Amino acid sequence: MKNSLHSIKGTRDILPEDSIKWRFIENKIHEIMENWGYGEIRTPVFEKTQLFKRSVGEESDIVLKQMYSFMDQSKNNLTLRPELTAPVMRAYIQHNMERNNGALNKLYYIDSLFRQERPQAGRFREFSQFGAEAIGSNNPEQDLEMILLMLHILKDLGLENLNILINSVGSVSCRNNYKKDLVKFLQPYKNKLSESSKNRLDKNPLRILDSKDLDEIEILKKAPDIFDYLNREDKEHFNLILSTMKEFKIDFYRDPKLVRGLDYYSRTIFEVISSDIGAQSAICGGGRYDSLIEKLGGNPTPAVGFAAGIDRILIALSKKSFFEKNSSRSIQMVCLGESLNSNVINKILELRKLGIKVHFDTLRRSIKIQMREANKNNVSHAIIIGKNEIEKNKAQIKDLNSGNQVEIEFNEIINYFDK
Ligand code: HAM
């Protein structure tokens, strides 16, 4: 194929040997989310650009540099979703879920999203997340449930070597006081800051805390700690989460520099980092966003959530054979070309109705080659119908695990497997 028609940089095809792994992960997520009382929500791939500007923030990297935005034929400004919290909240407001009389709404999703980042190991332009959002409670128990749910899924998938970073960015007024003092602290160092940090000083100073620049990290060591700016309620909220995590024996690091790249957060924020996947080590991120729903036009409603990158989870699990081998029965129907008649095809259909996976070959190849195919397909049994078998109306059943072979009446095939 001409190179010009290859898939776009940062996007990938998922071929059958890998899609099994994706499905294994997705099935587990569905199972656990439903078990925890979360209902699945699916939203459109594109939304009005304004939705993301208003929620993720005009000055965030995602909005400034990473969105795939376009104008459609009717001159609407649209964007491929770069995250899912804002679309889910848009749907929550649009479908009047908030009418639910102050009850909790618990939603989850598994979907793909798009960010125009520089592609590298673990960083893609189209990638997938699963996530959960609990809408309606401002109590710390809800933040905790979110953290427990997130860790439960990650551990159940077999992830190890995880570190949890947690911080509180307080409510809006505390954060504004902190921002002022952070800017005051950084002003004398302005000339030593990188260009991007200089720009952020006016527009988005909290993001400077996230800097990877070694000189800036050194400067920031003496920066004021946001914890000291939290009001009494914010502190109590945060302390209750931390003390309960200790009771649950969950190791965490309270990272005063953790700020996250989306502007909608208030109070608790957290990230899960894996030491198994190299530079792009964030597996999961989330937090509380108590003013987002109101900002998007809904009634003031507190909420908290998280999202995890499935592509990165797969990288972390790549060294493990993390999904159980399929031990159920499966069959290769090995037939000489002329014996693959409607009787045999009917048997194949009946076997499949029993829930048994059946492979067969329409290439009219030799029995020997079809047996090789049976091994490749890793089936438990082969049903062999050669010339002799056709004449005698019989079939050979070979158990490929034990090597045992028996001859049975052709009409007994279904009875033989229906046990
Ligand atoms: P986020 O931290 O931007 O949060 O993304 C969550 C996770 O998505 C990251 O921890 C990472 O595993 C994965 N991820 C992000 N960008 C990429 C990429 N370019 N390639 C591969 N994986 C990536 C959010 O999106 C928030 N909506 C999370 C949230 C939900 N907060 C509250 N509720």
Side-chain angles (χ1 to χ4, degrees):
M1 188 198 289
K2 289 213 171 111
N3 271 344
S4 58
L5 291 181
H6 276 188
S7 59
I8 310 293
K9 212 169 155 199
T11 71
R12 288 149 310 141
D13 301 308
I14 298 172
L15 303 183
E17 61 268 29
D18 284 331
S19 65
I20 302 175
K21 299 177 191 169
W22 279 85
R23 224 170 33 241
F24 170 84
I25 291 186
E26 287 160 5
N27 288 344
K28 265 226 166 349
I29 295 163
H30 286 301
E31 199 183 291
I32 296 174
M33 290 288 192
E34 299 284 341
N35 186 252
W36 283 55
Y38 285 72
E40 189 188 7
I41 180 161
R42 301 184 191 200
T43 62
V45 167
F46 55 92
E47 300 268 357
K48 288 184 183 153
T49 300
Q50 201 52 33
L51 172 65
F52 300 110
K53 287 193 172 170
R54 244 203 260 173
S55 54
V56 176
E58 301 258 6
E59 297 302 328
S60 64
D61 279 358
I62 292 181
V63 169
L64 286 177
K65 302 181 198 159
Q66 299 172 357
M67 293 206 301
Y68 282 99
S69 298
F70 57 98
M71 201 178 268
D72 72 3
Q73 306 278 347
S74 318
K75 304 228 174 323
N76 297 307
N77 278 314
L78 305 174
T79 292
L80 297 184
R81 59 182 175 215
E83 68 105 46
L84 279 145
T85 307
V88 169
M89 294 313 124
R90 194 259 316 129
Y92 167 83
I93 298 165
Q94 183 175 333
H95 299 287
N96 282 324
M97 291 190 217
E98 54 184 348
R99 277 227 208 108
N100 208 347
N101 244 342
L104 263 186
N105 268 289
K106 293 181 165 189
L107 302 169
Y108 82 94
Y109 45 80
I110 308 177
D111 255 319
S112 54
L113 37 154
F114 309 85
R115 293 183 191 172
Q116 191 165 5
E117 296 194 73
R118 198 165 44 78
Q120 64 180 81
R123 196 204 270 153
F124 307 99
R125 288 180 166 176
E126 181 187 25
F127 59 98
S128 291
Q129 285 184 347
F130 70 86
E133 315 288 351
I135 308 157
S137 166
N138 57 12
N139 295 320
E141 301 84 288
Q142 192 54 65
D143 308 47
L144 262 168
E145 192 213 24
M146 233 3 126
I147 294 170
L148 291 176
L149 169 60
M150 169 183 83
L151 293 177
H152 178 66
I153 296 180
L154 297 180
K155 297 222 166 105
D156 208 63
L157 289 172
L159 283 144
E160 290 163 357
N161 306 321
L162 301 176
N163 291 307
I164 305 165
L165 311 180
I166 188 163
N167 196 15
S168 173
V169 286
S171 30
V172 179
S173 59
C174 312
R175 199 160 55 251
N176 284 343
N177 289 338
Y178 176 69
K179 273 187 199 166
K180 271 189 221 143
D181 279 6
L182 181 65
V183 172
K184 228 189 269 167
F185 166 82
L186 287 169
Q187 278 299 348
Y189 301 100
K190 195 169 175 182
N191 289 338
K192 292 189 183 154
L193 298 181
S194 63
E195 276 315 302
S196 68
S197 290
K198 269 184 206 150
N199 286 335
R200 282 173 168 161
L201 206 51
D202 297 327
K203 294 176 181 155
N204 202 355
L206 283 188
R207 292 291 293 164
I208 300 176
L209 292 175
D210 220 14
S211 170
K212 305 285 176 280
D213 180 298
L214 292 180
D215 293 336
E216 290 181 6
I217 291 175
E218 198 49 44
I219 294 170
L220 288 164
K221 277 185 182 160
K222 295 195 198 88
D225 183 340
I226 196 161
F227 187 79
D228 300 328
Y229 291 74
L230 302 185
N231 62 28
R232 193 172 53 84
E233 291 82 14
D234 287 347
K235 270 190 186 152
E236 276 173 16
H237 184 100
F238 192 41
N239 282 335
L240 201 120
I241 295 169
L242 300 189
S243 60
T244 320
M245 282 172 78
K246 280 183 197 150
E247 277 171 37
F248 277 97
K249 307 228 171 334
I250 299 171
D251 287 333
F252 62 84
Y253 169 60
R254 198 225 126 208
D255 182 355
K257 305 274 182 319
L258 182 68
V259 282
R260 310 250 321 119
L262 306 109
D263 283 359
Y264 47 64
Y265 291 112
S266 50
R267 291 191 161 176
T268 328
I269 52 172
F270 48 84
E271 269 183 14
V272 178
I273 306 292
S274 161
S275 48
D276 288 342
I277 56 169
Q280 298 307 311
S281 57
I283 292 267
C284 239
R288 185 164 269 291
Y289 47 94
D290 290 343
S291 34
L292 178 60
I293 294 173
E294 188 180 6
K295 211 168 176 189
L296 296 178
N299 295 323
T301 314
V304 55
F306 76 88
I310 302 181
D311 309 74
R312 292 188 187 168
I313 289 177
L314 274 158
I315 296 173
L317 293 175
S318 59
K319 290 184 202 99
K320 294 177 95 181
S321 66
F322 64 93
F323 61 105
E324 302 106 29
K325 246 186 151 353
N326 184 4
S327 57
S328 58
R329 289 171 309 165
S330 50
I331 293 172
Q332 184 84 31
M333 186 63 91
V334 177
C335 278
L336 277 182
E338 62 269 27
S339 55
L340 187 63
N341 53 27
S342 55
N343 282 339
V344 175
I345 292 180
N346 260 328
K347 281 284 173 278
I348 291 173
L349 297 178
E350 282 180 59
L351 285 164
R352 286 179 179 157
K353 266 195 203 146
L354 293 179
I356 300 173
K357 183 167 166 180
V358 186
H359 299 270
F360 75 98
D361 196 313
T362 53
L363 296 171
R364 300 191 170 188
R365 296 186 292 179
S366 71
I367 292 215
K368 198 167 147 200
I369 292 184
Q370 290 186 54
M371 286 304 287
R372 233 183 266 155
E373 198 68 20
N375 282 329
K376 235 201 267 161
N377 286 333
N378 206 10
V379 292
S380 60
H381 293 82
I383 301 178
I384 306 159
I385 304 175
K387 252 199 186 111
N388 279 341
E389 286 75 24
I390 298 176
E391 278 164 17
K392 295 191 286 177
N393 221 5
K394 303 262 181 189
Q396 304 286 337
I397 313 278
K398 183 160 184 165
D399 182 327
L400 293 174
N401 292 321
S402 65
N404 293 340
Q405 186 163 326
V406 290
E407 184 177 85
I408 62 167
E409 295 293 326
F410 181 79
N411 286 337
E412 283 302 306
I413 290 179
I414 298 301
N415 284 342
Y416 184 89
F417 284 100
D418 190 14
K419 47 187 171 179

